[in-house]
Amino acid sequence: MRPFEKPPLTIEGQMQLLKDRGLTILDEGRASRFLEVVSLFRLSPYMRPFQHAGNPDHQFQDGATLRQIVTVYRFDRELRNLVMDALERVEVAVRASITNHMAPAYADSHWYLKPENFKAQYNHQRLLDELSSKLEEERRHFERETNRIQGSRASDEAKAQRIEHRKRDNYFRYYAQTYDSPELPPSWAVLEELSLGALSRLYQGIARDGDRKQIASRFGLPQEVLGSWLHTFTFIRNCCAHHARLWNRELAIPPKLPREGAWEWPRLPHGRPRPERRLFVVLLMLAHLMRHVSPDSLWQERLEALLEKYADISLMAMGFIDDWKYHPVWAVR
């Protein structure tokens, strides 16, 4: 352990630091404007492939330019947007599939309230506490907005209309003002409010294998594979939502894959990034799921166009295999 002693730097100081490390900046005016809106700290992970590995002074390789780094950064931003587009559709579909199966199967709009519907190790109380907190928060928000409207100079009729509109802005708020039991909203409303991480835990926590299998069959997957994929997607979605680096990200836990031959990997040279631990496997997973939830989508074509637009970006860093377009999962259209 040691004290942090790095001083803050102006934009000019940041550019000088990069030049001192051997980076070529072709247009300092444009570089200055870029660093004003994208921090050097955010940009630093994109610099590593252009620096000498293991160099404690972060020296750049000969010929490295800021333009190259900015190109990778822009590619990563467009890649995240494209991945997020697919994740949104998949996430919405999983929410719908869980409630469309569970509520009718148990003839109960509030099936999630019963602990017997979940595994013993699932933290059911955590789910209920989070939902109760959400309901109470909306109740407080509505009370404050109601008081503010009542204190305005609007007519009584206008006040009533505004209060009614505010009540219907959010279903949790509406439920709290309309129903007194059960305490929490029905499952189809609750599942729309859960984070993807909470949704992943809920799916894997469902007690009966038959229920999880039925839900996963909607996506052409074994239930344990869908559970694993939701865990991976939670990590990837967080990267996208926080605008974090995605393109050469390594997965700490590789997702489970179907056992069929289409998901087997070819032999790769030693030292080459493994596809199952890089973004390539995530893109295959999304391609598979998009065919089930949005079969008319041109998502794969858009991804291919993005890779052609940035042809100098290393596919190997993302775990792509040779002839990846002919991979059995990707090639199905």
Side-chain angles (χ1 to χ4, degrees):
M1 300 288 288
R2 56 191 174 90
F4 182 86
E5 297 177 340
K6 293 182 179 180
L9 297 174
T10 63
I11 299 298
E12 292 75 15
Q14 293 173 29
M15 289 196 295
Q16 187 59 52
L17 176 66
L18 294 175
K19 289 189 288 185
D20 290 344
R21 291 176 175 177
L23 185 67
T24 298
I25 300 178
L26 301 175
D27 187 331
E28 294 196 6
R30 292 187 65 182
S32 176
R33 291 191 294 273
F34 184 79
L35 290 173
E36 286 175 353
V37 295
V38 179
S39 73
L40 183 62
F41 180 77
R42 175 174 290 279
L43 202 59
S44 59
Y46 300 94
M47 297 180 179
R48 292 172 192 151
F50 300 94
Q51 294 170 329
H52 292 289
N55 185 286
D57 297 321
H58 309 291
Q59 288 293 313
F60 286 92
Q61 300 166 10
D62 292 343
T65 68
L66 181 59
R67 180 176 294 175
Q68 291 173 311
I69 296 166
V70 172
T71 296
V72 177
Y73 176 82
R74 287 173 174 162
F75 164 75
D76 193 48
R77 183 182 61 204
E78 294 185 42
L79 177 66
R80 286 196 308 269
N81 290 339
L82 198 53
V83 168
M84 196 66 169
D85 176 42
L87 282 175
E88 177 191 348
R89 303 189 204 200
V90 169
E91 182 180 340
V92 168
V94 171
R95 295 179 192 276
S97 296
I98 293 174
T99 195
N100 286 344
H101 169 74
M102 294 296 290
Y106 290 84
D108 185 356
S109 60
H110 288 76
W111 59 269
Y112 70 91
L113 291 177
K114 298 177 180 177
E116 61 266 27
N117 290 332
F118 295 92
K119 299 174 183 176
Q121 62 269 33
Y122 177 70
N123 194 339
H124 185 246
Q125 190 58 49
R126 175 184 176 182
L127 171 69
L128 299 184
D129 289 345
E130 289 177 354
L131 295 173
S132 296
S133 177
K134 169 70 175 175
L135 195 76
E136 183 58 32
E137 179 184 0
E138 289 300 332
R139 185 181 283 115
R140 291 196 302 269
H141 285 173
F142 180 69
E143 183 179 353
R144 286 197 298 269
E145 291 182 13
T146 298
N147 290 338
R148 180 179 57 81
I149 293 171
Q150 292 288 20
S152 70
R153 297 180 178 180
S155 67
D156 289 344
E157 181 181 359
K159 290 178 181 179
Q161 288 179 346
R162 290 174 187 173
I163 291 172
E164 185 65 20
H165 289 158
R166 294 294 186 275
K167 182 171 71 173
R168 294 179 180 275
D169 278 347
N170 178 286
Y171 188 78
F172 266 58
R173 177 182 300 182
Y174 176 80
Y175 189 89
Q177 300 300 320
T178 307
Y179 304 101
D180 55 10
S181 67
E183 180 183 353
L184 294 171
S187 58
W188 47 82
V190 162
L191 263 68
E192 293 296 330
E193 290 292 334
L194 296 181
S195 68
L196 183 54
L199 185 73
S200 172
R201 293 191 296 272
L202 180 141
Y203 170 74
Q204 296 184 73
I206 291 174
R208 295 168 181 81
D209 279 356
D211 290 326
R212 282 179 275 112
K213 288 178 179 177
Q214 190 66 31
I215 294 164
S217 68
R218 173 63 182 80
F219 306 99
L221 294 172
Q223 59 93 5
E224 70 277 4
V225 171
L226 178 59
S228 174
W229 286 17
L230 290 176
H231 179 77
T232 298
F233 288 152
T234 300
F235 170 71
I236 295 297
R237 190 187 187 284
N238 286 341
C239 289
C240 295
H242 294 283
H243 322 299
R245 174 178 51 87
L246 187 63
W247 74 283
N248 64 347
R249 179 76 65 173
E250 184 172 7
L251 303 177
I253 302 175
K256 294 180 181 179
L257 300 175
R259 296 179 181 177
E260 61 192 73
W263 290 91
E264 292 181 358
W265 306 113
R267 288 180 176 270
L268 296 175
H270 178 71
R272 183 165 174 172
R274 300 298 306 173
E276 66 272 21
R277 286 190 174 272
R278 296 287 177 135
L279 189 63
F280 181 61
V281 72
V282 176
L283 298 177
L284 289 181
M285 291 153 56
L286 290 174
H288 169 88
L289 290 171
M290 287 289 278
R291 286 194 288 271
H292 284 78
V293 306
S294 188
D296 296 327
S297 167
L298 297 177
W299 184 81
Q300 286 183 244
E301 289 79 0
R302 290 164 59 203
L303 179 63
E304 291 176 2
L306 177 65
L307 297 178
E308 290 175 6
K309 176 182 176 182
Y310 291 93
D312 292 335
I313 299 294
S314 171
L315 296 181
M316 187 172 67
M318 294 184 282
F320 277 66
I321 61 174
D322 296 333
D323 298 325
W324 61 272
K325 288 184 181 181
Y326 300 100
H327 186 282
V329 176
W330 190 264
V332 176
R333 299 293 175 94

